[in-house]
Amino acid sequence: MFHGGLLSKLRGFYKWYVLGLVSVGYILGELGHYLIGTTSKVTADDLHYGDRSCMLNATHLHLSQLPVICEKVNSSEICESLSLNGTYYCEWGYNGLGIDYQVLAGPAFMAVFTVVGVILGVVADKYNRARILSVCTLVYVVAILMMGSVKEYWHLVILRMIMAAGESGCNPLATGILTDLFPEHQRALVLSIFNWGIYGGYGIAFPVGRYVPTLNAWGLSWRLCYYSAGIVGLVIAALTFLTLREPERTTIGEEGTGKPTDGVESGKKMPQVTIWHVIAQPRIILLCLAASIRHCGGMTFAYNADLYYRDYFPDVDLGWWLFAVTVGIGSVGVVVGGVVSDKFVSRMGVRSRVLVLAVSQLIATLPAFGSVIFGPLWAMITLAFSYFFAEMWFGIVFAILVEIVPLSVRSTTVGVFLFVMNNVGGNLPILVDPVSKAIGYREAIMIFYAGFYGISSILFFLTMFFMDGAVEKPEDKTNGLDNSAYIQDETRHRPVQDARL
């Protein structure tokens, strides 16, 4: 009896354990993804890629003390001749920026991430998601581990592509598993916590990428960052393989039952549609466009934040500030966004989730500009305020997505959605380099970061008008996934003859 009671209690915690496990795995994957942005200067200096410029090399000096600012000098001879009280305070070297870096950070990763993500999304709808996720986790943690051993720039490019292939399965696979484990009233919060892994990994990359290389432990410099993340990742991969089990898929009826139905809760069968019919809906297209623009804003900041603040404030160490803002403030914003979205969805329907998206991104826009315009102190204050509202978006977007598509193509739809969103949002930041050379680095960041926050807010607001309001349910749902929003739309706009998968 005691044994049975204990097992019953442990089973009650299993879904939270799964959430923790896949979230930690996602954090490690994103840490490996974003480490290139925080280690790029020292990595570029070691592997010799990207632009070279004049940089401050005397950390005890402040910009106000310098007769000539290093970053304003475009000649190596002049750069290395600048001195103050007999001390040469500038150095000419690789700054971690340039088209090589932008390609490495964006397209090299996204090209594979997006394509393989779609493939794995299709596979996830037909095969054991837990086992596929285990393999994906192993692939990307091994790639992260091997990044510490690279000797050439192209080695790093290839390994980032392999890492992207593995990590591309995390979101569609884990999203499907989590939505089968958790009920509707917890869905946005759970997916927000999981998708916070992006910002958790990104935030942790600041102190790891800034301070671990300076320790130069065992002479490994920046390589230790990748070795450490890879070793921890191997433990997570082992736990994923040994403890993660495929949950029962909460589909709305089984194909072939031949029972016509119009209700989700009674297990009745919904019309079968192709993935193309699903993604061609105006609301899906608008939601994807808005998410792509918002993603571009986030990726621009993620790939350039450390380099930007190092470039404009070389005499101020903002590493721990950036960590505190992205991980601390961002975490609170993620949770608040999920809770607010879940609270109103039962009253206003899926439309309320989109409203939360539009309002949160609008509020985040103005302080996002401030985080680029102001000096170090106010830049961090406005960044914190912006981050609180900005980071509400990711989990809510996927909560919306799983509620407005049929369950039979849920993972496939997530994969296709990520394909488009990451191809647009993940590759547009490459334009930062040519635009910065034309009008300035700060101005380019303002456009592609803060400006795109504002544009996404407008697009999310327009998307809201294509969504359904509250849906009458025969009974409250206690577990599984409710796709009644999709069914209601499907019954209104069903084609004459449904296409079969």
Side-chain angles (χ1 to χ4, degrees):
M1 182 182 296
F2 174 77
H3 185 260
L6 180 61
L7 285 178
S8 178
K9 291 181 180 179
L10 290 177
R11 289 192 190 98
F13 287 105
Y14 174 72
K15 63 182 181 181
W16 296 103
Y17 164 76
V18 171
L19 173 61
L21 181 65
V22 297
S23 296
V24 172
Y26 203 21
I27 288 172
L28 286 170
E30 290 301 288
L31 174 60
H33 178 189
Y34 291 114
L35 268 175
I36 191 61
T38 56
T39 63
S40 185
K41 184 178 182 298
V42 63
T43 305
D45 192 55
D46 189 3
L47 301 181
H48 297 172
Y49 68 80
D51 292 347
R52 303 181 73 179
S53 66
C54 189
M55 298 168 287
L56 180 70
N57 67 355
T59 56
H60 64 283
L61 297 176
H62 296 285
L63 294 182
S64 59
Q65 299 175 270
L66 306 180
V68 179
I69 303 299
C70 301
E71 284 70 23
K72 296 185 179 297
V73 175
N74 296 319
S75 166
S76 60
E77 291 79 9
I78 298 175
C79 175
E80 294 172 348
S81 68
L82 297 175
S83 65
L84 179 66
N85 299 326
T87 300
Y88 294 98
Y89 59 87
C90 294
E91 65 177 350
W92 183 266
Y94 291 95
N95 60 11
L97 289 169
I99 194 66
D100 287 346
Y101 165 70
Q102 296 295 343
V103 168
L104 183 64
F109 182 90
M110 290 300 174
V112 176
F113 184 86
T114 53
V115 174
V116 178
V118 174
I119 296 172
L120 290 177
V122 175
V123 172
D125 282 325
K126 299 181 179 180
Y127 301 101
N128 189 300
R129 296 166 296 182
R131 286 290 169 262
I132 300 171
L133 182 58
S134 301
V135 174
C136 288
T137 304
L138 182 62
V139 169
Y140 73 72
V141 298
V142 169
I144 292 172
L145 190 65
M146 292 181 66
M147 283 182 199
S149 64
V150 300
K151 301 297 183 184
E152 301 287 345
Y153 169 77
W154 67 269
H155 294 166
L156 201 56
V157 173
I158 296 299
L159 285 172
R160 277 185 65 80
M161 294 173 73
I162 295 173
M163 181 184 72
E167 195 184 347
S168 66
C170 286
N171 200 300
L173 292 165
T175 295
I177 291 171
L178 292 173
T179 50
D180 284 340
L181 289 174
F182 286 90
E184 178 193 9
H185 68 274
Q186 296 175 328
R187 191 176 305 134
L189 175 60
V190 166
L191 292 181
S192 292
I193 292 172
F194 168 69
N195 284 293
W196 173 83
I198 295 176
Y199 309 101
Y202 161 55
I204 295 170
F206 284 113
V208 172
R210 276 190 176 226
Y211 306 127
V212 171
T214 60
L215 297 175
N216 199 28
W218 302 289
L220 293 175
S221 184
W222 60 273
R223 299 176 187 274
L224 184 60
C225 302
Y226 292 97
Y227 286 143
S228 301
I231 290 171
V232 176
L234 288 176
V235 176
I236 298 301
L239 288 174
T240 303
F241 179 78
L242 295 173
T243 64
L244 187 62
R245 296 292 177 263
E246 175 78 358
E248 181 180 356
R249 299 185 189 238
T250 52
T251 53
I252 306 172
E254 298 291 334
E255 286 195 25
T257 59
K259 295 180 180 180
T261 152
D262 55 357
V264 177
E265 304 303 327
S266 60
K268 297 178 181 180
K269 189 176 180 180
M270 64 176 289
Q272 295 297 304
V273 293
T274 67
I275 181 64
W276 307 114
H277 176 258
V278 172
I279 63 177
Q281 298 176 75
R283 59 183 179 178
I284 298 289
I285 294 172
L286 263 177
L287 182 67
C288 190
L289 178 60
S292 299
I293 296 299
R294 170 58 183 82
H295 195 47
C296 176
M299 289 294 98
T300 298
F301 186 79
Y303 290 147
N304 293 277
D306 189 71
L307 294 166
Y308 171 81
Y309 289 118
R310 282 179 188 262
D311 190 32
Y312 281 87
F313 313 121
D315 56 333
V316 181
D317 186 354
L318 296 175
W320 286 112
W321 279 98
L322 290 168
F323 169 77
V325 169
T326 54
V327 175
I329 304 299
S331 300
V332 177
V334 164
V335 173
V336 170
V339 170
V340 171
S341 172
D342 283 336
K343 185 174 181 63
F344 287 105
V345 70
S346 61
R347 299 178 183 177
M348 298 173 58
V350 70
R351 184 178 296 166
S352 65
R353 296 201 196 277
V354 191
L355 179 61
V356 172
L357 283 175
V359 172
S360 63
Q361 301 314 298
L362 178 63
I363 296 174
T365 300
L366 191 58
F369 277 105
S371 68
V372 182
I373 295 171
F374 295 133
L377 176 60
W378 280 101
M380 292 300 101
I381 292 174
T382 53
L383 177 63
F385 188 80
S386 175
Y387 234 73
F388 177 83
F389 291 96
E391 301 319 309
M392 292 182 178
W393 83 286
F394 208 87
I396 300 177
V397 163
F398 286 96
I400 294 169
L401 192 62
V402 298
E403 288 176 347
I404 63 175
V405 300
L407 300 177
S408 59
V409 291
R410 182 175 59 208
S411 293
T412 305
T413 303
V414 172
V416 172
F417 193 91
L418 284 169
F419 173 83
V420 177
M421 188 181 80
N422 284 307
N423 264 300
V424 176
N427 289 321
L428 272 179
I430 197 173
L431 296 177
V432 169
D433 183 66
V435 172
S436 66
K437 287 180 170 59
I439 63 175
Y441 191 33
R442 171 175 278 159
E443 289 74 14
I445 297 298
M446 289 172 62
I447 293 171
F448 290 98
Y449 158 46
F452 275 37
Y453 275 17
I455 296 173
S456 74
S457 173
I458 296 171
L459 291 173
F460 281 130
F461 182 74
L462 294 176
T463 305
M464 183 179 66
F465 295 101
F466 290 84
M467 297 292 177
D468 290 326
V471 178
E472 292 294 331
K473 299 179 183 179
E475 59 184 86
D476 292 331
K477 191 172 180 65
T478 57
N479 55 31
L481 178 67
D482 177 17
N483 277 60
S484 53
Y486 179 85
I487 291 177
Q488 193 180 59
D489 178 79
E490 182 66 19
T491 56
R492 289 199 305 264
H493 306 292
R494 187 186 311 167
V496 176
Q497 182 177 1
D498 294 322
R500 297 289 172 177
L501 290 176

